[in-house]
């Protein structure tokens, strides 16, 4: 069997979760980097301890978990803190993602979707993707949705959008674009067309591997990828 990787990204309030929901309904394998990011910073984990060393206990909730909103407020306003946090969490996230990719390979999936919010910002991960998909919406719609969803004022919402690479810029790098500016049914039809194209694709990223070889090589692969992204 063959399998390839598809990178999926978007922008804040662009509607990526809507697209992911449709893909899951279709039975697609989706690896959510945000979910993994929450898992790797659970209390007593390596990343959790490192974050406390650099950001202090003020970012903790009563149950010992990290207050994502408090931490988010820090990194939104201080780019150097954002880079520091990424250097702590990204290697741990990558290791867990690789484990899940191997699981889906063994299960015989045609392709695996890696849902990565900062796929186009980091750029390093795109080289491992056969295709990249951007969930796009026009800037006025993005701003209105964010203000409504988070209860933000115009200035605060614009600041949050401005902290990310503009969707129009990301669009240049994507091999496929899902335009989520319209209604849900329009978005769903686009996702169905994309899924059909990917299922029919003869391209693949991963060569045929025996299960034993894949398992044996996982440790070395993790080390090489982590070293690459950290550097």
């Amino acid at each position: 069997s063959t399998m390839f990787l598809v990178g999926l990204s978007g922008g804040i309030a662009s509607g990526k979760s809507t697209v992911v929901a449709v893909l899951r309904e279709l039975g697609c394998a989706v690896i959510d980097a945000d979910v993994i990011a929450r898992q790797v910073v659970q209390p007593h984990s390596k990343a959790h301890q490192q974050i406390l060393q650099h950001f202090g206990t003020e970012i903790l909730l009563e149950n010992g978990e990290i207050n994502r909103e408090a931490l988010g407020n820090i990194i939104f306003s201080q780019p150097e803190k954002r880079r520091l946090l990424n250097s702590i969490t990204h290697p741990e996230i990558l290791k867990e993602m690789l484990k899940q990719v191997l699981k889906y390979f063994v299960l015989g999936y045609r392709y695996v979707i890696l849902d990565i919010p900062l796929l186009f910002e980091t750029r390093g991960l795109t080289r491992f993707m056969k295709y990249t998909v951007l969930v796009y919406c026009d800037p006025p719609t993005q701003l209105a949705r964010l203000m409504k969803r988070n209860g933000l004022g115009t200035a605060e919402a614009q600041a949050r959008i401005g902290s990310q690479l503009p969707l129009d810029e990301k669009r240049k790098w994507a091999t496929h674009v899902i335009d989520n500016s319209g209604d849900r049914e329009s978005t769903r039809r686009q996702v169905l067309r994309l899924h059909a194209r990917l299922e029919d694709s003869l391209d693949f990223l991963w060569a045929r591997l025996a299960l034993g070889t894949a398992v044996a090589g996982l440790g070395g692969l993790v080390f090489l990828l982590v070293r690459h992204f950290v550097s």
Side-chain angles (χ1 to χ4, degrees):
S1 63
T2 58
M3 186 181 76
F4 57 89
L5 303 181
V6 179
L8 175 70
S9 194
I12 188 169
S14 70
K16 184 164 59 66
S17 60
T18 299
V19 171
V20 169
V22 177
L23 290 167
R24 290 190 187 279
E25 288 175 12
L26 294 169
C28 298
V30 181
I31 298 175
D32 190 329
D34 259 352
V35 170
I36 294 175
R38 289 193 289 271
Q39 293 172 344
V40 301
V41 297
Q42 288 299 302
H44 310 299
S45 68
K46 176 182 176 182
H48 184 275
Q49 295 170 0
Q50 291 180 331
I51 290 171
L52 291 187
Q53 290 175 5
H54 293 284
F55 291 87
T57 57
E58 295 80 9
I59 61 168
L60 289 181
L61 296 169
E62 291 184 2
N63 62 2
E65 294 183 0
I66 291 174
N67 185 330
R68 288 168 59 86
E69 183 177 355
L71 185 58
N73 289 335
I74 294 173
I75 65 174
F76 266 124
S77 58
Q78 301 181 59
E80 72 281 1
K81 293 288 187 179
R82 183 163 62 248
R83 288 191 291 270
L84 173 60
L85 179 65
N86 289 343
S87 71
I88 294 171
T89 60
H90 283 185
E92 300 303 311
I93 294 170
L94 285 170
K95 285 189 287 186
E96 181 58 31
M97 289 174 69
L98 282 168
K99 291 178 184 177
Q100 294 192 28
V101 166
L102 177 59
K103 177 188 73 174
Y104 287 121
F105 172 79
V106 172
L107 291 174
Y109 277 77
R110 184 77 182 90
Y111 67 92
V112 175
I113 297 166
L114 301 182
D115 178 359
I116 306 174
L118 298 179
L119 176 66
F120 295 103
E121 280 86 347
T122 56
R123 294 304 308 281
L125 281 173
T126 57
R127 71 186 65 186
F128 297 100
M129 311 299 166
K130 184 61 188 177
Y131 303 107
T132 54
V133 180
L134 174 69
V135 181
Y136 175 88
C137 70
D138 60 76
T141 300
Q142 183 184 22
L143 179 62
R145 286 175 177 170
L146 180 58
M147 291 172 64
K148 180 179 180 180
R149 188 189 74 183
N150 290 34
L152 303 176
T154 303
E156 189 174 4
Q158 288 176 333
R160 295 211 172 191
I161 292 174
S163 69
Q164 299 182 344
L165 194 66
L167 287 173
D168 284 323
E169 184 67 23
K170 293 180 182 182
R171 193 168 189 165
K172 300 175 184 176
W173 302 104
T175 58
H176 296 81
V177 175
I178 301 292
D179 192 336
N180 191 41
S181 302
D183 58 28
R184 185 182 179 89
E185 185 55 35
S186 172
T187 299
R188 181 181 179 82
R189 287 195 298 268
Q190 293 177 68
V191 176
L192 291 175
R193 286 197 297 269
L194 174 63
H195 175 60
R197 291 180 63 183
L198 294 176
E199 280 290 307
D200 291 339
S201 173
L202 296 178
D203 295 314
F204 61 92
L205 174 64
W206 296 88
R208 297 186 176 197
L209 295 172
L211 175 59
T213 303
V215 173
L218 178 62
L221 181 60
V222 168
F223 172 77
L224 290 173
L225 288 180
V226 169
R227 186 175 68 175
H228 170 77
F229 291 118
V230 170
S231 62

